Amino acid sequence: MFISFEGIDGAGKSTQVKQLKKYLTDKGHDVLTLREPGGTAVAEKIRALLLESKHDITPIGELLLFSASRAELIQNVILPALKQGNVVIVDRFYDSTTAYQGYGRGLDLQMLQQVNNVATFSLKPDITFFLDISPEDALIRKFSEKSLPLAFEESELDRMENSGLAFYQRVRKGYLKLAESEKKRFVMLNACNEAKNIHVQIKQKLTSLYPGL
Ligand code: TYD
């Protein structure tokens, strides 16, 4: 089983990934959690390139770097783990590329879908939990997590986080469109709710869809 989590920065994905991993592990499953970009030696180097704020990267360059990182992770880690029967939970997958590079940066969506298909070997999550939050609320949460003062320096943020509020509004809109167009795969959750309530909703959804899980 292949589960992905999506949402803008600060939506609280990593907390939910951790809690779901514990829940499924306690039920006796072998669970592998991964975060994109990254997860192999090469993919971690690509991650550093993408997130270090000192680099200027063109939208196409950005798309190809995220996709290269994903291809490395899928072929070397995700596909072998799924083959062994593990549950794989990823913090971000190709929907992030559609939302950020497509809707956020404005790249052509059809071209992007082709790149996504190539980079993922057409692998799709069985279910995608989308934690929805406004960029304003998400940024407030993110800054408080990083203990940044209200008057933070731009250098405290990574390259993606420096993209501005309008960018994040476009990204959120992209996610909402994706959720609307793939109602079966996407489970939309209000990320402003308490983390423990969101976790309960996630468990309920999974057990209703996969009673044996
Ligand atoms: P990360 O620190 O992992 O952020 P988060 O905790 O919010 O997941 O940084 C990943 C950043 O890269 C994040 O801003 C989203 C962005 N991203 C893309 O723009 N496209 C992609 O395909 C992926 C996987 C991530």
Side-chain angles (χ1 to χ4, degrees), residues 10-12 133 137-146 191-193:
I133 190 169
D137 288 343
L139 286 175
I140 290 168
R141 187 184 281 180
K142 187 115 189 163
F143 295 152
S144 64
E145 262 171 25
K146 286 191 173 181
C192 291
N193 286 337

Side-chain angles (χ1 to χ4, degrees), residues 9 13 47 51 66 70 92 96-97 100-101 160:
D9 310 52
K13 291 177 283 91
R47 177 183 176 87
L51 297 185
F66 277 114
R70 179 165 309 128
R92 300 193 176 283
S96 285
T97 308
Y100 281 76
Q101 280 64 55
M160 295 305 294

Side-chain angles (χ1 to χ4, degrees), residues 92-120:
R92 300 193 176 283
F93 201 53
Y94 65 77
D95 298 306
S96 285
T97 308
T98 311
Y100 281 76
Q101 280 64 55
Y103 288 91
R105 300 284 191 228
L107 290 180
D108 179 75
L109 293 175
Q110 267 183 348
M111 177 277 289
L112 206 137
Q113 203 175 354
Q114 286 176 339
V115 174
N116 278 344
N117 285 341
V118 172
T120 56

Side-chain angles (χ1 to χ4, degrees), residues 62-79:
E62 190 176 277
L63 165 69
L64 295 175
L65 285 170
F66 277 114
S67 302
S69 166
R70 179 165 309 128
E72 290 300 306
L73 185 67
I74 293 180
Q75 208 157 21
N76 293 314
V77 184
I78 297 181
L79 288 176

Side-chain angles (χ1 to χ4, degrees), residues 4-203:
S4 68
F5 277 81
E6 293 287 350
I8 60 172
D9 310 52
K13 291 177 283 91
S14 54
T15 308
Q16 294 303 327
V17 168
K18 258 188 234 148
Q19 293 190 7
L20 183 60
K21 178 181 190 176
K22 183 172 181 322
Y23 169 72
L24 292 173
T25 306
D26 288 349
K27 288 194 97 182
H29 296 284
D30 287 323
V31 183
L32 178 66
T33 54
L34 299 160
R35 149 206 84 167
E36 276 212 28
T40 72
V42 169
E44 287 297 327
K45 291 211 161 154
I46 298 174
R47 177 183 176 87
L49 270 178
L50 278 163
L51 297 185
E52 276 170 15
S53 48
K54 64 182 181 208
H55 302 299
D56 260 344
I57 305 179
T58 59
I60 289 282
E62 190 176 277
L63 165 69
L64 295 175
L65 285 170
F66 277 114
S67 302
S69 166
R70 179 165 309 128
E72 290 300 306
L73 185 67
I74 293 180
Q75 208 157 21
N76 293 314
V77 184
I78 297 181
L79 288 176
L82 289 173
K83 221 171 163 184
Q84 284 185 358
N86 291 359
V87 175
V88 178
I89 307 175
V90 284
D91 186 338
R92 300 193 176 283
F93 201 53
Y94 65 77
D95 298 306
S96 285
T97 308
T98 311
Y100 281 76
Q101 280 64 55
Y103 288 91
R105 300 284 191 228
L107 290 180
D108 179 75
L109 293 175
Q110 267 183 348
M111 177 277 289
L112 206 137
Q113 203 175 354
Q114 286 176 339
V115 174
N116 278 344
N117 285 341
V118 172
T120 56
F121 308 85
S122 300
L123 177 70
K124 254 189 179 207
D126 296 299
I127 187 161
T128 297
F129 291 104
F130 163 44
L131 299 180
D132 183 45
I133 190 169
S134 76
E136 291 87 350
D137 288 343
L139 286 175
I140 290 168
R141 187 184 281 180
K142 187 115 189 163
F143 295 152
S144 64
E145 262 171 25
K146 286 191 173 181
S147 303
L148 293 180
L150 227 52
F152 58 90
E153 296 285 323
E154 281 199 352
S155 58
E156 304 257 21
L157 303 177
D158 71 36
R159 198 182 58 82
M160 295 305 294
E161 288 166 343
N162 266 318
S163 303
L165 202 58
F167 171 79
Y168 278 101
Q169 269 150 356
R170 292 195 298 275
V171 172
R172 182 195 193 192
K173 220 169 165 188
Y175 273 128
L176 290 169
K177 284 202 174 153
L178 282 172
E180 185 59 32
S181 68
E182 277 195 76
K183 283 201 175 116
K184 236 180 130 191
R185 176 168 66 89
F186 267 83
V187 178
M188 191 163 121
L189 299 157
N190 182 349
C192 291
N193 286 337
E194 269 192 63
K196 63 171 189 259
N197 294 342
I198 298 176
H199 177 58
V200 170
Q201 285 177 280
I202 290 172
K203 280 191 302 194

